[in-house]
Amino acid sequence: MAYSTFRNSRIQIILLILSLYYCRATVDVSSDAFIKGHMKPLGSHREPLAVEELTSIPNPKTFYDLYTKPGKPVILRNAAKAIPAFSLWTDEYLSEKFGNVQVLVEEGKKENRSKGNFMTSLKEFVSSYKTEDLYVVHTIPKEMREDIRMLPCVSCGGFAERLLDIVMWFSSGGTKSVLHNDGSENLNCLFRGSKELIMINKNVNYNALFDNSGFSNMDVDKVDLKKYSDLMHMDLYKAKISAGDCIFIPQFWLHQVRSFDSNLAVNTWWAQLFKFNETSCQQNKGDTYLNPAKYEFATYEVLSFRMAQCIIIYIERRNQILGVMSKHKKATKQGFKKILKRSDVGPIQFSVVFSAFDSNKDDAISFDEVQELPYEQLSKLFPNWQYEPEGEEEEMEPQRDEL
Ligand SMILES: *[C@@H]1O[C@H](CO)[C@@H](O)[C@H](O)[C@H]1NC(C)=O
Ligand SMILES: *[C@@H]1O[C@H](CO)[C@@H](O)[C@H](O)[C@H]1NC(C)=O
């Protein structure tokens, strides 16, 4: 005991001397070598947290309450195994049955949004993908949708009325996406190979990682932790999924995805659901796999239009409230009620709305408090605050004197 303690402290002293010498010898190496994970793959610099996993598919209400509403990712182990494509979609089947389908191919399995893409037939892709640096990322055409099913957890409650896109991801593995987020909910089911995701919570202020674009330009294989130093303080989450698993990626969560081995996945995007529709679960008990061929999806164009429209309307509406408030430093409860009434927000729970705006809890709403409430929260508080295309603008001039 005594000897080993002595030996340990002797080793410590030797190490100390060595490290002092090393520091002296390399004075201006400063910290580079000592920033853990610097210039290493994303996720190397700190121990990631685990994404929650379930071994049975939650019912739609549970899925809404515990995952989509709070925006919490979850892995659904083996959930994709009941989807016909999981067993049907071999290379032979795909080129035989859907060989003529034209698909969009990205050049480069390591995503680079300044690189190009092109269209080719699925048959052509299947014959060459094992040796080429290519990645099919394509909205699944109608005829192929018959082989897909959407998981029971989205089979009622309103999810299926908000579908945006259903996309196939097909490569020989080795794909690396950029670190990015999506402005919609994402359920990704893997039929072949495996994927690894590094994720960052939507509630973290990660804008500094975005270098003036809607995604991060960081090299995910060699992360410059000096440039992206904010990353050092953010919790990372890691998820590993294999063939047969699905993962829910909530909107606005940052994610970076790598794939391994022959890799085939299908994901569904939908616009976030703000209110669960109980009625729609009365006939459909929430245990059916929906056939996407029978549902309407918005196209990308419609998606971006809708999202833009949605955000614009909330910017406009916020400005409307601010316009009414501008003369008055603070609005009382009664005053704020009047302001909202004039803004035509539809039915709301006023006390909830009031307390959401009243961030400093002084029982009054200031101009700044209205300005600072995040868009996301605005859209949740006013789910019925619909876009009114033109026509009613003129009469919206607020009458400030009345306040
Ligand atoms: C993406 O491609 C462009 C042009 O081909 C190149 O200059 C840039 O360095 C690439 N970005 C990454 C992250 O590899
Ligand atoms: C809720 O679902 C029912 C049944 O599908 C439907 O008739 C109703 O319009 C839905 N309500 C809303 C607000 O979407």
Side-chain angles (χ1 to χ4, degrees):
M1 218 33 174
Y3 172 72
S4 84
T5 310
F6 169 69
R7 202 179 59 162
N8 281 345
S9 56
R10 221 171 49 155
I11 290 170
Q12 276 165 13
I13 290 166
I14 291 168
L15 284 175
L16 182 68
I17 292 169
L18 279 175
S19 63
L20 283 175
Y21 176 75
Y22 179 72
C23 288
R24 230 173 55 98
T26 57
V27 204
D28 71 346
V29 162
S30 62
S31 50
D32 272 45
F34 302 114
I35 304 178
K36 191 183 170 209
H38 181 53
M39 301 314 266
K40 296 264 163 30
L42 179 63
S44 312
H45 69 286
R46 62 190 289 165
E47 196 56 40
L49 305 167
V51 169
E52 190 183 335
E53 302 187 25
L54 296 175
T55 48
S56 63
I57 303 174
N59 67 41
K61 183 73 168 78
T62 306
F63 184 57
Y64 174 76
D65 286 338
L66 301 188
Y67 304 102
T68 78
K69 190 176 171 209
K72 188 170 190 284
V74 63
I75 297 169
L76 304 175
R77 293 283 177 219
N78 299 315
K81 289 186 175 166
I83 299 174
F86 172 74
S87 20
L88 285 176
W89 283 12
T90 60
D91 284 356
E92 297 69 35
Y93 176 92
L94 288 173
S95 46
E96 213 162 278
K97 189 144 183 223
F98 304 118
N100 294 327
V101 167
Q102 292 289 307
V103 289
L104 187 73
V105 183
E106 288 185 358
E107 289 177 44
K109 290 192 284 191
K110 181 169 177 179
E111 185 181 13
N112 181 333
R113 296 195 177 181
S114 59
K115 276 196 180 166
N117 46 46
F118 61 93
M119 300 293 290
T120 189
S121 71
L122 194 51
K123 189 175 192 149
E124 185 59 35
F125 178 78
V126 166
S127 71
S128 65
Y129 79 102
K130 284 177 187 152
T131 53
E132 305 278 335
D133 189 20
L134 300 173
Y135 195 7
V136 162
V137 180
H138 188 72
T139 292
I140 300 185
K142 271 258 154 64
E143 60 266 39
M144 294 180 75
R145 285 181 198 181
E146 291 288 349
D147 289 347
I148 305 292
R149 292 293 177 276
M150 294 185 288
L151 299 187
C153 57
V154 296
S155 64
C156 68
F159 299 105
E161 283 72 50
R162 307 171 72 79
L163 298 170
L164 298 170
D165 207 356
I166 181 164
V167 171
M168 167 171 58
W169 308 78
F170 189 7
S171 79
S172 60
T175 62
K176 296 162 187 178
S177 79
V178 297
L179 182 64
H180 68 286
N181 64 12
D182 298 320
S184 50
E185 310 277 53
N186 185 349
L187 188 56
N188 191 314
C189 290
L190 189 58
F191 301 149
R192 282 193 214 174
S194 61
K195 281 189 197 289
E196 219 173 85
L197 296 91
I198 298 284
M199 303 169 76
I200 296 173
N201 197 308
K202 67 180 166 59
N203 298 328
V204 169
N205 183 354
Y206 49 63
N207 291 334
L209 306 179
F210 271 16
D211 354 74
N212 305 319
S213 49
F215 56 94
S216 179
N217 278 317
M218 76 171 55
D219 184 337
V220 296
D221 288 326
K222 280 170 76 180
V223 178
D224 186 340
L225 286 175
K226 287 184 153 180
K227 180 170 178 198
Y228 299 104
S229 57
D230 284 37
L231 198 56
M232 315 250 278
H233 314 291
M234 298 177 189
D235 277 337
L236 300 181
Y237 289 80
K238 189 172 192 168
K240 280 185 178 180
I241 58 170
S242 324
D245 296 337
C246 300
I247 182 167
F248 168 62
I249 307 169
Q251 100 174 333
F252 300 132
W253 272 66
L254 278 190
H255 51 285
Q256 193 264 327
V257 189
R258 287 166 195 270
S259 72
F260 305 91
D261 308 317
S262 180
N263 213 272
L264 182 52
V266 166
N267 88 300
T268 308
W269 272 300
W270 68 91
Q272 193 185 10
L273 184 61
F274 294 121
K275 196 165 188 299
F276 189 83
N277 185 346
E278 305 271 1
T279 324
S280 83
C281 288
Q282 278 161 8
Q283 300 116 351
N284 175 347
K285 294 272 184 329
D287 54 2
T288 42
Y289 286 79
L290 304 183
N291 180 346
K294 298 197 164 74
Y295 286 80
E296 203 178 317
F297 283 77
T299 64
Y300 266 122
E301 293 71 35
V302 176
L303 158 61
S304 48
F305 179 66
R306 270 194 204 165
M307 296 304 288
Q309 209 177 40
C310 212
I311 290 167
I312 287 166
I313 183 62
Y314 283 108
I315 291 171
E316 277 176 13
R317 297 301 201 190
R318 190 202 301 271
N319 285 344
Q320 214 166 37
I321 299 180
L322 292 173
V324 181
M325 289 186 75
S326 59
K327 271 191 183 170
H328 307 263
K329 282 213 166 79
K330 294 208 167 185
T332 60
K333 224 170 217 173
Q334 277 315 310
F336 196 61
K337 206 171 206 166
K338 277 192 199 165
I339 293 168
L340 293 185
K341 209 168 213 167
R342 203 173 299 151
S343 300
D344 203 15
V345 293
I348 52 164
Q349 276 184 281
F350 179 72
S351 56
V352 176
V353 172
F354 186 87
S355 84
F357 276 94
D358 187 14
S359 54
N360 67 354
K361 302 293 162 215
D362 65 349
D363 243 9
I365 307 294
S366 70
F367 193 83
D368 288 345
E369 283 172 330
V370 173
Q371 198 150 37
E372 280 159 18
L373 195 74
Y375 153 72
E376 238 191 315
Q377 229 173 316
L378 269 185
S379 56
K380 276 183 194 158
L381 292 170
F382 306 116
N384 299 312
W385 212 3
Q386 294 297 345
Y387 179 68
E388 312 271 1
E390 283 128 272
E392 26 107 271
E393 295 300 329
E394 299 81 10
E395 70 194 56
M396 293 313 292
E397 183 60 36
Q399 293 161 356
R400 292 179 179 138
D401 300 343
E402 268 181 36
L403 286 167

